[in-house]
Amino acid sequence: MMAGDFTSVPVIDISALRHGSGPGYRRAVTALGDAARHVGFAQLVGHGIDPALFDALVDRTRAFFALPAAEKHRVYIGNSTNHRGYVPPGEEVFAGGTADTKEAFDLSYELPADDPRYLAGDPLLGPNQWPELTGFREAVTAWYDAVFALSRAILRAFAVALGQPPDRFDRYVTTPPSQLRLIHYPADPSAVDRPGIGAHTDYECFTLLRPTAPGLEVLNAAGQWIDVPYLDDAFVLNIGDLLEIWTNGAFVATTHRVRRVTSERYSFPLFVNVDADTEVAPLAEFVDGTARYAPVIAGEHLFAQTARSFRYLQDRIRRGEVSLPDGAYPLSAFGRRAASPR
């Protein structure tokens, strides 16, 4: 199969990744590498995360989004200086200019309020905002920790699949801005003709997503939107911009979107990143002649893309309170674009 010439998303059993060696491990690594090269997406089973953690996460997430709007806005993301908190409908706008119908709660790797990077004004690092909701912080943190640990095993597997030492990327993971989003798509019978979340690629290394219902579509090289079937207890994995840069395009960040969200849906993506100060440039092993991508600083790339898609950050840019990094990639610089209007 040629790169991008796919009509379905592979399902991969990653249970052997917990062993770190052996023929099962090698098969899982090979399957992950093939999916990253040819599709940019996969569904992962055998991950070993306790289903009770997901049940608790969904329960507390439902409780949060059921709160009155005024209560949710007490932790509005625009109240933070490091992009953490409640995202109301219409706050986020992607490259196509469409406002999303979803609402969300965003958090990331938590650092204390006296961390010097936070005190110096880093736009992505520091403490999370937490609502005053019984059990919410505990359930969300337990899920974050479990999926974050899984993501490091997968990051090492990707390095092995590329013929690199297992720690080739993982060595840059100490306090990364790896964001977890709790996303709520309300029931909306009119959503059949408009996106729940606009077409985009993810800005980090890769994403691990657990949804509660179908709705995700990915774009192949022929400009066709391919459905990602819902599999209970499976993670959807997709490659992000940084691994596309690091591999000089050998791994592909595939454009995706959420469509036809007519019934209520919850979605929980962890966007797996490396430390904010990491320089990401095409590795020499993947450059035959001229590199296809200019180097980026991981945190700067994430902030530049985020700032272009959130209204409150666009307002801060207009007021001169924050600025985009020099040489930032534009939105939609990665992934495949559909040939017809979305």
Side-chain angles (χ1 to χ4, degrees):
M1 181 175 64
M2 296 181 63
D5 185 22
F6 65 90
T7 57
S8 63
V9 173
V11 179
I12 302 173
D13 185 340
I14 61 168
S15 54
L17 291 190
R18 285 173 275 168
H19 306 306
S21 62
Y25 177 81
R26 174 54 62 179
R27 284 194 295 272
V29 165
T30 299
L32 284 168
D34 287 346
R37 290 181 177 93
H38 300 301
V39 184
F41 267 77
Q43 298 219 62
L44 308 183
V45 298
H47 49 76
I49 291 181
D50 185 352
L53 293 179
F54 188 62
D55 292 343
L57 175 72
V58 173
D59 175 77
R60 291 296 80 197
T61 298
R62 289 184 186 274
F64 172 75
F65 287 119
L67 292 172
E71 191 68 19
K72 290 183 285 190
H73 274 83
R74 291 181 64 182
V75 288
Y76 170 54
I77 196 166
N79 295 337
S80 76
T81 60
N82 60 337
H83 198 65
R84 318 286 176 99
Y86 175 61
V87 181
E91 174 68 41
E92 193 172 3
V93 179
F94 283 97
T98 57
D100 290 329
T101 61
K102 69 179 189 305
E103 57 182 342
F105 183 87
D106 292 359
L107 64 137
S108 193
Y109 194 97
E110 184 147 35
L111 295 174
D114 62 356
D115 185 278
R117 291 164 292 187
Y118 174 66
L119 295 176
D122 190 290
L124 296 172
L125 300 177
N128 293 313
Q129 288 197 90
W130 294 105
E132 294 180 4
L133 178 63
T134 301
F136 181 85
R137 180 173 184 169
E138 292 78 8
V140 172
T141 299
W143 178 256
Y144 186 101
D145 291 346
V147 182
F148 184 79
L150 174 64
S151 77
R152 298 192 70 171
I154 294 170
L155 192 59
R156 291 191 292 270
F158 277 140
V160 175
L162 290 162
Q164 300 291 310
D167 73 338
R168 186 63 183 87
F169 309 118
D170 188 59
R171 70 184 67 166
Y172 301 110
V173 178
T174 58
T175 56
S178 293
Q179 182 188 61
L180 174 65
R181 306 199 77 187
L182 321 179
I183 305 174
H184 175 220
Y185 300 91
D188 183 2
S190 69
V192 65
D193 291 323
R194 59 184 173 134
I197 185 169
H200 64 289
T201 62
D202 293 341
Y203 316 136
E204 299 84 354
C205 290
F206 64 92
T207 302
L208 290 173
L209 165 72
R210 278 291 301 275
T212 62
L216 184 64
E217 295 178 333
V218 300
L219 188 66
N220 69 12
Q224 301 167 320
W225 287 102
I226 306 301
D227 181 60
V228 181
Y230 173 72
L231 295 181
D232 187 42
D233 198 36
F235 278 95
V236 179
L237 176 148
N238 65 273
I239 301 301
D241 297 348
L242 295 187
L243 276 182
E244 183 171 319
I245 295 172
W246 246 326
T247 64
N248 202 38
F251 282 7
V252 59
T254 301
T255 302
H256 52 284
R257 68 183 183 185
V258 174
R259 296 284 291 181
R260 302 176 188 75
V261 184
T262 57
S263 59
E264 189 173 42
R265 179 179 185 266
Y266 294 87
S267 179
F268 304 94
L270 177 69
F271 300 99
V272 180
N273 214 332
V274 288
D275 291 341
D277 60 356
T278 304
E279 183 182 69
V280 177
L283 296 173
E285 297 91 326
F286 302 102
V287 178
D288 183 10
T290 303
R292 295 173 56 188
Y293 304 91
V296 299
I297 303 301
E300 291 182 359
H301 177 67
L302 174 57
F303 180 72
Q305 304 306 306
T306 302
R308 290 186 174 106
S309 54
F310 277 78
R311 296 185 188 279
Y312 88 92
L313 285 171
Q314 293 171 9
D315 290 342
R316 290 182 183 178
I317 290 172
R318 282 191 288 269
R319 294 194 298 265
E321 298 171 4
V322 298
S323 59
L324 294 176
D326 293 337
Y329 279 100
L331 281 175
S332 303
F334 297 85
R336 304 181 182 94
R337 314 313 312 168
S340 58
R342 288 180 294 277

